[in-house]
Amino acid sequence: MKKVLVGKFTYLDDIEKVIDELLKAGYSKKDISFISPFPVEHIIEKLGGSDSPVKYSVLTGGLLGFASAIGLVLITSLAYILPVGGKPVVAWIPYVIVMFELTVLLGSIFNLIGLIVFSRLPDIVLFIGWRPFLPSFTDDKFGITVSTDRVDEVRAIFERNGAEEIREYS
Amino acid sequence: MHQEVEKIRVNIHEGITPEGKKYGEQFTYSEISEEIYRASTKPSIWYFLGLGICVALVLAGIGTFAYLVIVGMGAAGFTPPIFWIHFIVNFVFWVGIAHSGTLISAVLHLFRSKWRRGIFRVAEAMTVFAVMTAGLFPLIHIGRQWYFYFLVPYPNQRELWVNFKSALMWDFVAVLTYFTVSLMFFYVGMIPDLATFREKAKGIRRTIYSILSLGWKGTDKEWRHYNRSYMFFAAFATPLVVSVHSVVSLDFASGLIPGWQSTIFPPYFVAGAIFSGMAMVVTIITPLRKLMKLEKFVTDWHYDHMGKIILVTGLIVTYSYAVEFALAIFSGNKYEYDQFIYRATGDYAWAFWLMVFCNCVVPLFMISKKVRTNVWLMFVLSIFVNIGMWFERFNIIIISLSHDFLPYAFGTYMPRWPELIITLASFGWFFMWFLLFAKFFPVISIAETKELVPKPLRERGEH
């Protein structure tokens, strides 16, 4: 049965060595998680790149906003005709403002939804307290969690590279 | 003072002070979390005094608003032909105040500007609360507040629809979008810091932070999505900064009143909004850093940069005033010409020249670096700018309406007590929300401040 080991570290170069050794030992990037109080770009890059599917969510929202704005201005103009001073009933230039605003609005809403869905938030189990996580990971320490059935091997890698604390979760 | 600015700049860009010490020796990660958490939890007696004054002003405003609803809008100083009075002046003023928040958090984020980190949270909060304040004024102004939902496009049995060709509808859509996007941007930026607060708090506060932080842990996957999402928010918010106040300016520019119908209005309003918004950041952050002992995080280095933005936007505003006069003189339009002569020499000349002094002369002091890095002097100058920008909107709205085409339709407006109390109450409302925010939430970004500290590496020595 697989267990989760969490190691607490102070130095980022120790973290890099741990990740390198774990990858060399045959662990996949999906089994390893790095936890930090602020984004550390080069380690995030090492564990899977900086790209995120949030961009597709934003694109969907933006297109939906743009399309719904076109629908809204067309329906409202044609359902209730207000001819003023010989101006066209469907006047595209003033509608650009509405289209722009709704594109931004829905794009942003879908951006938030994308962030929440892809980051698997809200993480309800954290409230219960069994999740492999230490409070100092939001303060001044860095963490590595590994899902493994070779506990002793991972523990040895952590200890060899300066782990200050190691916890085991089943 | 000059030496201090140099020191901080070196710290941030190179991570080493002129004395050869590491920046991390001045701030450890723990100290950053602890100091910002402490600032949010232990306010002084002055905080409660300020909050009490704000709540009292809000209650007075609610009472006055109730009086206007019962008695009718005639109790306010509506005088033909001036039917857009203090309420619309306040609306434009507060929408303008909201602007620099998004400028600092979005535009400067895209430019990877480091100095924004000490102040952007305050500016974002200011944006959200200023839009909340601005949004009240059209509601107060319409008179029959119970019909405000007529602005919303929804199917109804009367088969009426809103007119999207009207500048007022653009305004409604733009301000609503701006508020929603700013609120989401503000909240998303705070999630990692709320997780830090969650781990430090106890009892009910911990529960609230747990819910608000959505169980954020700070894993590499979370940060990856977060960074990308934040960048998209910034990319969306940047054109919003330009669009919202441009749209507000179209309320006027699409009208036929002399002094309003001008193509210069959108850029002129956007520059003015950033000018007033940045001044309001200085006005708010100066007492805040003192009361919450945040001098280490908001330094004269930040004031130096804020002063530069105020100076540049102030010069753009001054140029816009000059162009407005030039257009009036050279356009050959007699009504436009008369309007601008009236502004400078008529019944409200005092308001015009007060505006010129506050917006054109006062920012010039900021050419001097000594002035820009003098915190309390900047605070005083920022108050002048705020006053000046309020009177700019007064001049555009009230003076233009009071002196339009035909002499028999000219008139003057003097505010009555309901407008004055509601204007004061709007400041109480704005600062009340701000003080509550400062008490419960991180006023400075913890995660982004930590990014300024050199990364802890074993080969470099102890962190």
Side-chain angles (χ1 to χ4, degrees), chain B residues 183-201:
Chain B
L183 187 64
M184 287 190 290
F185 196 24
F186 175 52
Y187 173 62
V188 166
M190 235 178 356
I191 291 175
D193 296 346
L194 290 170
T196 306
F197 270 33
R198 174 191 70 208
E199 301 305 331
K200 291 192 173 296

Side-chain angles (χ1 to χ4, degrees), chain A residues 11-14 32 34-36 38 41 49 51-52 76 80 89 94 101 111 122-123 126-127 138-140, chain B residues 29-30 33 160-161 165 170 196 210 214 217-221 223-225 227 229 243 450 456 458 462:
Chain A
Y11 299 104
L12 283 171
D13 37 4
D14 290 347
I32 307 166
F34 164 63
I35 308 176
S36 60
F38 55 87
E41 296 294 344
D51 204 9
S52 161
T76 53
Y80 185 60
V89 171
E101 299 295 341
N111 185 10
D123 191 346
L126 186 68
F127 304 152
T138 64
D139 191 12
D140 61 342
Chain B
Y29 292 138
S30 262
S33 311
L160 298 175
W161 287 95
K165 281 170 270 184
W170 306 338
T196 306
S210 295
L214 303 173
K217 299 176 290 297
T219 65
D220 55 296
K221 279 96 185 165
W223 280 119
R224 192 166 73 231
H225 301 307
N227 283 347
S229 175
S243 83
K450 284 177 183 172
R458 186 181 288 279
E462 287 296 321

Side-chain angles (χ1 to χ4, degrees), chain B residues 110-419:
Chain B
L110 292 179
F111 282 110
R112 299 284 183 265
S113 166
K114 290 186 176 181
W115 69 270
R116 69 181 268 285
R117 295 177 195 218
I119 57 165
F120 82 89
R121 182 66 50 69
V122 168
E124 283 179 355
M126 192 187 79
T127 293
V128 173
F129 303 141
V131 181
M132 280 165 59
T133 313
L136 295 176
F137 283 101
L139 291 180
I140 297 169
H141 176 79
I142 58 176
R144 297 182 187 182
Q145 288 78 18
W146 45 97
Y147 289 134
F148 90 94
Y149 62 89
F150 279 14
L151 276 170
V152 182
Y154 68 100
N156 55 77
Q157 68 182 125
R158 291 161 288 134
E159 296 184 356
L160 298 175
W161 287 95
V162 295
N163 180 11
F164 281 112
K165 281 170 270 184
S166 159
L168 298 180
M169 274 312 296
W170 306 338
D171 220 5
F172 174 72
V173 176
V175 173
L176 188 70
T177 302
Y178 190 56
F179 176 69
T180 313
V181 174
S182 299
L183 187 64
M184 287 190 290
F185 196 24
F186 175 52
Y187 173 62
V188 166
M190 235 178 356
I191 291 175
D193 296 346
L194 290 170
T196 306
F197 270 33
R198 174 191 70 208
E199 301 305 331
K200 291 192 173 296
K202 291 183 173 60
I204 185 73
R205 278 180 85 113
R206 185 183 170 88
T207 309
I208 292 168
Y209 292 135
S210 295
I211 294 166
L212 290 175
S213 65
L214 303 173
W216 176 269
K217 299 176 290 297
T219 65
D220 55 296
K221 279 96 185 165
E222 286 172 351
W223 280 119
R224 192 166 73 231
H225 301 307
Y226 176 90
N227 283 347
R228 190 45 67 101
S229 175
Y230 199 76
M231 198 271 288
F232 280 122
F233 269 119
F236 271 135
T238 300
L240 262 192
V241 173
V242 177
S243 83
V244 178
H245 224 58
S246 296
V247 169
V248 170
S249 80
L250 294 179
D251 288 349
F252 305 100
S254 61
L256 294 175
I257 301 291
W260 283 8
Q261 199 180 37
S262 169
T263 48
I264 198 180
F265 263 34
Y268 161 34
F269 267 53
V270 171
I274 296 166
F275 179 55
S276 64
M278 193 56 78
M280 188 59 103
V281 173
V282 173
T283 308
I284 289 175
I285 215 162
T286 306
L288 193 75
R289 71 193 275 280
K290 181 75 182 167
L291 287 173
M292 295 187 146
K293 298 185 174 59
L294 293 170
E295 289 95 336
K296 285 185 202 167
F297 297 99
V298 185
T299 62
D300 40 11
W301 182 65
H302 296 93
Y303 280 83
D304 185 23
H305 283 276
M306 289 191 282
K308 283 177 187 168
I309 289 188
I310 294 173
L311 176 63
V312 170
T313 48
L315 291 173
I316 296 172
V317 166
T318 305
Y319 173 72
S320 303
Y321 295 159
V323 169
E324 268 196 314
F325 268 83
L327 289 175
I329 292 166
F330 296 114
S331 66
N333 184 330
K334 184 169 173 22
Y335 301 108
E336 194 79 7
Y337 179 81
D338 280 354
Q339 165 62 220
F340 281 89
I341 296 298
Y342 178 68
R343 279 191 192 181
T345 59
D347 297 311
Y348 299 102
W350 60 272
F352 175 81
W353 291 109
L354 180 62
M355 174 195 81
V356 169
F357 174 73
C358 293
N359 293 349
C360 307
V361 179
V362 167
L364 295 178
F365 289 108
M366 294 180 197
I367 288 173
S368 160
K369 188 169 184 172
K370 280 186 181 168
V371 173
R372 290 198 305 270
T373 51
N374 185 326
V375 173
W376 289 100
L377 189 53
M378 281 288 286
F379 175 68
V380 173
L381 295 180
S382 75
I383 290 173
F384 274 101
V385 172
N386 287 323
I387 293 169
M389 285 308 291
W390 192 90
F391 273 98
E392 181 198 288
R393 279 66 182 248
F394 180 90
N395 289 335
I396 291 170
I397 296 169
I398 307 291
I399 304 182
S400 297
L401 285 173
S402 68
H403 196 90
D404 53 9
F405 297 99
L406 299 172
Y408 82 85
F410 291 172
T412 50
Y413 160 79
M414 278 302 287
R416 294 187 190 159
W417 65 269
E419 296 104 284

